[in-house]
Structures are given as C-alpha cells and as structure tokens.
C-alpha cells in the first residue's frame, strides 16, 4: 500500500469519526404526533414546527422546547361570587384549551405552568363578570322545563290551575323564567375570556361550571323558601282534596236518595199490582164458592191470631163460629 492510499484511508476514517461524533451530539430531533416545538438559539426563537417529522438543529446552540398540541384541561379554584340579586354562590369551573400558536405561547409564558396560572386568572375574571350580571336562576338552570310542566299540569286540570293561580306558587315559578340558561352563560364566559387569550397563542374551547354550591347564608334561605313553597303546594292540594271530597260526598248522598226513592216507587208499584192481583183472586174465589172462601179466610185468621194464646174464652161470637161446628153454625 503506497503512501497516497494510506493518507486517503486516514482522511476517510477521520471523516467517519467526525460524522459519528456529530451524530452523537444530536443534530436531529423528532416531533411526534400530538406535539409541537419551538426552537431557540441563545434565547431567541429561530424556528417552530407543528407537524410531526424529523428536523435538524445546530447541536449545543439550538434548544428544542416541546408543547402538547392536544386539547388540555384546566380545573379552576372555587370562588365566591355574588349574583345579580347579590346572593353569593360558590362556583368551581373546568375548561378546555389548546396551544394554537407555539411562538406566541413561548413569548408570553415559556412554560405550561405559567400558562395555567395566567389562564386561570382570565377564566376566573370572565366567570365573575358574567355571573354578577345574571340572576341565580339563570346560573343553576338550563331551561324552563319546570315551568312548562307546571303549565301543562294546569291545562290538564282547569280547576287545579285556577286554584294555583290564587296562590304564590305559580307566581314564584313565573318570576324565575330562564331567558339564557347555564349553557348560554358558559358561552358568554368563554367569549369573555377569549378576548384576551388569542394574543397568548391559546385557543380557549369552553368553560363549564363543574360545581355550583350555595354559600352558607344562602343555603338556609333557599331551604326555607323550598319548605315554604312545598307547604303552600301541600296546603293547596289539601284544599283541593277537601273540596273534591265534599263534592263527591254530596253527589253520593244525592245518588243514594235518588236510588232509594226510585226503589221505593218501584216497590210500591209492585205491592199495588200484587194487592190488585190478590184482590182479583180473592174476588174470583169468593164468587166461585162464598162459603168455602169464608171458611178458608177464617182458618187463616185462626192460624195467625190464636197461635200465641194457650187458652181462648168466648161467648159464642161469630168470629169463632167454625170452632163450634164444621158448617159454621154457631147455634149448634
């Protein structure tokens, strides 16, 4: 092997060693699916990538900062907020967001922890702004379903509807008509918070109240109002029940009298017809054999009148003529 060949081999080995050393310094980096990166050099942004793939950087000089591209969640802290009626409630929210512009995000926050703190402040401010402008019923309810059910029940029972109209139950329900509802307030909160977050490179998707609780002083007031409303409703239904009871008892008594009167009339008609038929039979029997008819009637009278008397004393009255002789001749 000549000197030139040895020199060439030496240069090739040196190149391979340098290349391997270069690879060990990490000149390439991978952006995975669901991730996005910002590349900085001496603290300044030189590049950013939101698509997955293999990318090049200058070793030791470039620093790759990775952020998630997926939807993230943020659970806020409980905060005590007054409603439009100045009634305090405790609201606990959760929200969904994602990083839409990694360069702006890095310039404003650098780390996710800083973003969470700032975004939480914006969300709390938006919630407070919206809740203080709306009534309690708008926050805790999503529709007027309760009122609609009550109105439908009133339509199905006109008398009950008239009775409820005279109480404060329907008034308390109609005073709490929901015009927006919780869903609309959530959209308003999101819109309010989104006025600031776009300049941070953040896309806020939604804000949802995870939990709404009454404050201690409001809890007692709500319970008292619920008890009062339920007592009024119970009294209303009791009054309606008593009225229905009296109505049915009156109707029952009237029907009873009508039935008894009709039965008495029919019984008298039957008795009259029977008496007439008996009289006709008696008349026919008398005309056919007057002596036998008189004998038979006397025997029937003896059987009915003398059965309870152990002894009978007479002075030959006509009533006992058949006791003196078989032919009814009392002179024998």
């Amino acid at each position: 092997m000549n000197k030139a060949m040895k020199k060439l081999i030496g240069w090739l080995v040196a190149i391979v060693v340098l290349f391997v050393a270069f690879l060990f310094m990490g000149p390439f980096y991978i952006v995975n699916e669901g991730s996005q990166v910002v590349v900085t050099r001496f603290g300044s942004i030189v590049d950013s990538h939101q698509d997955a793939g293999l990318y090049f950087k200058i070793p030791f000089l470039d620093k790759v900062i990775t952020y998630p591209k997926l939807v993230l969640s943020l659970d806020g802290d409980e905060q005590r907020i007054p409603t439009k009626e100045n009634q305090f409630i405790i609201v606990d929210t959760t929200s969904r967001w994602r990083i839409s512009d990694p360069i702006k995000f890095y310039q404003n926050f650098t780390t996710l922890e800083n973003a969470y703190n700032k975004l939480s402040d914006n969300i709390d401010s938006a919630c407070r702004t919206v809740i203080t402008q709306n009534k309690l019923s708008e926050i805790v309810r999503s529709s007027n379903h309760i009122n609609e059910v009550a109105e439908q029940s009133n339509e199905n029972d006109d008398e009950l509807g008239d009775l409820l109209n005279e109480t404060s139950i329907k008034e308390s329900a109609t005073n709490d008509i929901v015009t927006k509802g919780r869903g609309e307030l959530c959209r308003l909160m999101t819109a309010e918070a989104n006025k600031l977050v776009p300049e941070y490179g953040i896309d806020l998707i939604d804000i949802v109240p995870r939990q709404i609780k009454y404050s201690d002083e409001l809890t007692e007031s709500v319970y008292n109002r619920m008890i009062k409303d339920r007592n009024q409703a119970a009294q209303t239904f009791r009054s309606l029940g008593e009225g229905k009871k009296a109505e049915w008892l009156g109707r029952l008594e009237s029907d009873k009298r009508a039935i008894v009167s009709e039965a008495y009339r029919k019984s008298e008609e039957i008795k009259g017809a029977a008496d007439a038929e008996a009289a006709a039979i008696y008349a026919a029997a008398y005309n056919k054999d007057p002596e036998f008819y008189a004998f038979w009637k006397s025997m029937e009278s003896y059987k009915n009148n003398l059965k309870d008397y152990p002894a009978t004393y007479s002075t030959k009255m006509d009533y006992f003529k058949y006791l003196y002789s078989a032919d009814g001749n009392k002179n024998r």
Side-chain angles (χ1 to χ4, degrees):
M1 183 179 296
N2 55 27
K3 187 177 180 180
M5 182 62 67
K6 289 180 180 181
K7 187 176 181 180
L8 178 60
I9 292 174
W11 277 107
L12 290 175
V13 171
I15 292 173
V16 171
V17 170
L18 291 175
F19 182 73
V20 172
F22 180 73
L23 291 179
F24 272 107
M25 289 186 293
F28 300 101
Y29 64 94
I30 298 175
V31 178
N32 297 316
E33 289 289 344
S35 300
Q36 52 190 338
V37 300
V38 172
V39 181
T40 63
R41 186 178 303 155
F42 303 114
S44 299
I45 299 174
V46 295
D47 202 357
S48 69
H49 299 285
Q50 293 180 289
D51 296 329
L54 180 65
Y55 297 95
F56 175 79
K57 69 173 183 176
I58 299 175
F60 303 113
L61 299 181
D62 292 347
K63 182 180 179 181
V64 179
I65 302 172
T66 304
Y67 298 121
K69 193 167 61 174
L70 304 177
V71 175
L72 305 174
S73 64
L74 173 61
D75 295 332
D77 298 327
E78 291 185 353
Q79 52 177 337
R80 191 169 179 266
I81 306 175
T83 63
K84 188 176 182 180
E85 307 97 328
N86 202 29
Q87 296 177 336
F88 285 88
I89 58 175
I90 299 174
V91 182
D92 181 9
T93 62
T94 183
S95 57
R96 296 184 301 165
W97 64 285
R98 58 171 169 258
I99 301 173
S100 58
D101 189 335
I103 294 178
K104 288 184 178 181
F105 185 85
Y106 176 82
Q107 291 173 341
N108 287 278
F109 304 114
T110 305
T111 65
L112 285 174
E113 185 65 26
N114 295 334
Y116 279 125
N117 294 333
K118 183 63 177 178
L119 188 58
S120 179
D121 293 339
N122 288 340
I123 292 175
D124 290 347
S125 176
C127 292
R128 183 174 293 275
T129 300
V130 173
I131 289 176
T132 53
Q133 295 175 353
N134 291 274
K135 298 189 297 183
L136 179 64
S137 58
E138 300 282 357
I139 302 165
V140 299
R141 288 166 53 188
S142 299
S143 66
N144 286 307
H145 180 68
I146 296 177
N147 297 345
E148 293 170 359
V149 171
E151 291 176 1
Q152 185 176 2
S153 300
N154 294 347
E155 292 174 358
N156 294 336
D157 193 338
D158 294 337
E159 184 173 356
L160 176 60
D162 295 338
L163 188 58
L164 289 177
N165 286 334
E166 299 175 0
T167 67
S168 61
I169 299 175
K170 186 173 181 181
E171 293 177 0
S172 62
T174 54
N175 288 336
D176 292 335
I177 295 178
V178 176
T179 58
K180 298 177 183 177
R182 186 187 300 183
E184 179 62 23
L185 295 189
C186 291
R187 287 188 287 271
L188 293 176
M189 293 177 191
T190 305
E192 182 69 22
N194 268 323
K195 294 179 180 179
L196 298 176
V197 297
E199 66 182 40
Y200 300 148
I202 291 176
D203 182 14
L204 183 60
I205 300 173
D206 58 17
I207 301 174
V208 179
R210 184 173 56 180
Q211 183 176 239
I212 296 177
K213 298 187 298 183
Y214 298 132
S215 59
D216 294 338
E217 62 272 17
L218 182 57
T219 299
E220 183 177 359
S221 173
V222 171
Y223 285 165
N224 291 336
R225 178 181 177 185
M226 291 172 63
I227 293 172
K228 179 181 177 181
D229 288 346
R230 291 307 92 202
N231 286 337
Q232 289 178 340
Q235 184 59 41
T236 298
F237 285 107
R238 277 195 291 267
S239 300
L240 178 62
E242 290 296 330
K244 285 288 186 180
K245 175 184 176 182
E247 177 184 347
W248 281 104
L249 287 176
R251 188 179 301 175
L252 179 64
E253 186 65 25
S254 176
D255 292 344
K256 175 184 175 182
R257 291 177 180 176
I259 293 172
V260 171
S261 176
E262 180 66 16
Y264 179 77
R265 184 187 65 80
K266 288 185 177 180
S267 67
E268 291 299 315
E269 289 180 354
I270 294 173
K271 286 181 181 179
D275 291 341
E277 185 176 356
I281 294 173
Y282 292 152
Y286 178 80
N287 293 330
K288 189 173 184 180
D289 191 344
E291 292 184 0
F292 178 77
Y293 178 79
F295 172 76
W296 178 256
K297 294 296 289 183
S298 296
M299 292 299 104
E300 288 290 325
S301 178
Y302 294 160
K303 181 174 69 174
N304 294 330
N305 296 327
L306 301 181
K307 63 181 180 179
D308 296 327
Y309 299 97
T312 302
Y313 301 94
S314 70
T315 56
K316 296 184 178 181
M317 292 187 299
D318 289 340
Y319 181 73
F320 297 107
K321 63 183 180 178
Y322 287 104
L323 294 177
Y324 304 141
S325 62
D327 58 1
N329 189 353
K330 66 181 181 177
N331 296 320
R332 288 186 181 182

